[in-house]
Amino acid sequence: MAALDGSEAPAKLKGKYAAMLVCWLLGIGCLFSWNSMLTIEDYYVYIFPHYHPSRVLTLVYQPFALGTIAVLTYNEAKINTRLRNLFGYALFFLSTLLVLVLDLATSGKGGIGTFIGVCAMSGAFGVADAHVQGGMVGDLSFMQPEFIQSFLAGLAASGALTSALRLITKAAFDNSQDGLRKGAILFFALCTFFEVLCVLLYAYIFPKLDIVKHYRSKAASEGSKTVSADLAAGGIQTSLKPEAQEDPKQLERLSNKELLLQNIDYAIDMLLIYVLTLSIFPGFLSEDTGTHSLGGW
């Protein structure tokens, strides 16, 4: 097993563009399943006409996501980042697969039991998102800005991708018998495959890139306790800097309250963004029940 202390210049390390591509794909995978569930809600409205899925699924998702991220934030310094992210992507995969299996097992029929199952998967998406999105942002914050930018661009791209796929599936199946269901099945089949890809990328490709190993080794040498498993996956042993070993106070971290106060402007920005976003969807759009000239489109 190699030893790397983060002293090598990043410019000489290979894998920057490969890492950016992987980060972009992982960003897509972070929201692909949830965006797909939102995008095919016309199918759920059709099979669950009395249960208001356009409102309920989001209301189920958000408390699970918020509660999980609160617990993870409180214990952030003690959590194995690799296991956190792998668990999140694996949960995305299993939940997406179960949504697909549930639809196939019930032959697309509605009912309270099926709706509860779909709601449970929506909650699982919230738990998975809290693990992955926070874990990946924290992990990539140790590295080059281009990596976290690529990841966040992937989050945005997942919405554009699901919207484009919805237009394609609607055009392909709209006039066929059971067209809504066929489009939904295709959506979740693609999501299931993509989430498996994300698990493999994060588990076997990303930690072995030279530039990723460099930044994780640098973080570990400066006292980070959350990257050891990632480094082991990349075949690296690390040791603390001598000055850090002599002065343990260098490894002390700010409390969550101190971090919040230092970044209060960003926290307020995030709060306002989420208030605006959720007021539009599901807020306004779920109440927009009027008839439009474009019909279902």
Side-chain angles (χ1 to χ4, degrees):
M1 184 176 286
L4 189 64
D5 62 2
S7 60
E8 186 177 353
K12 298 180 181 179
L13 295 171
K14 298 179 181 178
K16 175 181 176 180
Y17 295 106
M20 290 174 62
L21 176 60
V22 172
C23 289
W24 185 70
L25 293 173
L26 291 174
I28 293 175
C30 183
L31 285 181
F32 197 16
S33 296
W34 173 237
N35 281 337
S36 295
M37 178 172 277
L38 295 181
T39 307
I40 63 166
E41 276 193 340
D42 52 346
Y43 171 60
Y44 287 135
V45 169
Y46 175 74
I47 64 173
F48 304 121
H50 304 298
Y51 302 135
H52 309 289
S54 60
R55 306 176 195 175
V56 173
L57 292 180
T58 303
L59 293 176
V60 170
Y61 172 92
Q62 291 296 339
F64 278 96
L66 182 60
T68 303
I69 198 68
V71 173
L72 292 173
T73 300
Y74 183 78
N75 297 286
E76 175 270 333
K78 306 173 185 177
I79 294 174
N80 184 317
T81 304
R82 178 175 173 80
L83 291 181
R84 171 180 174 169
N85 289 333
L86 284 176
F87 174 81
Y89 281 117
L91 184 58
F92 270 131
F93 161 67
L94 291 174
S95 303
T96 307
L97 179 62
L98 287 176
V99 171
L100 184 60
V101 170
L102 181 64
D103 188 84
L104 294 173
T106 59
S107 300
K109 297 178 181 178
I112 186 63
T114 305
F115 184 66
I116 291 174
V118 172
C119 288
M121 295 307 102
S122 177
F125 286 157
V127 174
D129 185 26
H131 278 79
V132 170
Q133 194 164 166
M136 286 299 301
V137 168
D139 193 10
L140 298 177
S141 295
F142 288 127
M143 306 180 196
Q144 288 192 345
E146 290 87 346
F147 294 175
I148 196 168
Q149 289 167 2
S150 296
F151 179 78
L152 296 178
L155 295 179
S158 67
L161 180 61
T162 51
S163 296
L165 284 174
R166 185 68 190 100
L167 292 175
I168 294 171
T169 56
K170 188 171 181 64
F173 300 122
D174 196 31
N175 295 322
S176 65
Q177 185 177 7
D178 211 14
L180 280 175
R181 181 169 180 252
K182 291 178 180 177
I185 290 174
L186 178 60
F187 252 99
F188 280 105
L190 291 172
C191 284
T192 302
F193 168 78
F194 197 86
E195 297 301 344
V196 171
L197 176 64
C198 287
V199 172
L200 297 176
L201 285 173
Y202 188 80
Y204 299 109
I205 304 299
F206 192 62
K208 295 183 179 179
L209 296 173
D210 288 344
I211 196 166
V212 174
K213 290 190 285 186
H214 163 80
Y215 281 111
R216 283 176 170 167
S217 297
K218 184 174 183 292
S221 69
E222 294 172 352
S224 174
K225 300 177 182 179
T226 63
V227 296
S228 56
D230 294 296
L231 292 171
I236 299 173
Q237 288 180 333
T238 59
S239 59
L240 296 177
K241 290 182 177 179
E243 56 268 27
Q245 292 177 327
E246 295 172 3
D247 184 9
K249 290 185 177 181
Q250 288 193 19
L251 304 184
E252 292 182 0
R253 65 185 293 272
L254 297 176
S255 67
N256 290 336
K257 181 179 179 180
E258 290 171 329
L259 289 170
L260 176 61
L261 291 176
Q262 285 190 8
N263 297 278
I264 190 65
D265 50 342
Y266 295 115
I268 293 174
D269 287 344
M270 289 296 295
L271 175 64
L272 294 176
I273 288 170
Y274 271 88
V275 169
L276 176 61
T277 301
L278 294 176
S279 68
I280 297 173
F281 182 86
F284 169 75
L285 292 181
S286 64
E287 298 294 338
D288 183 21
T289 57
T291 301
H292 301 282
S293 59
L294 293 177
W297 286 90

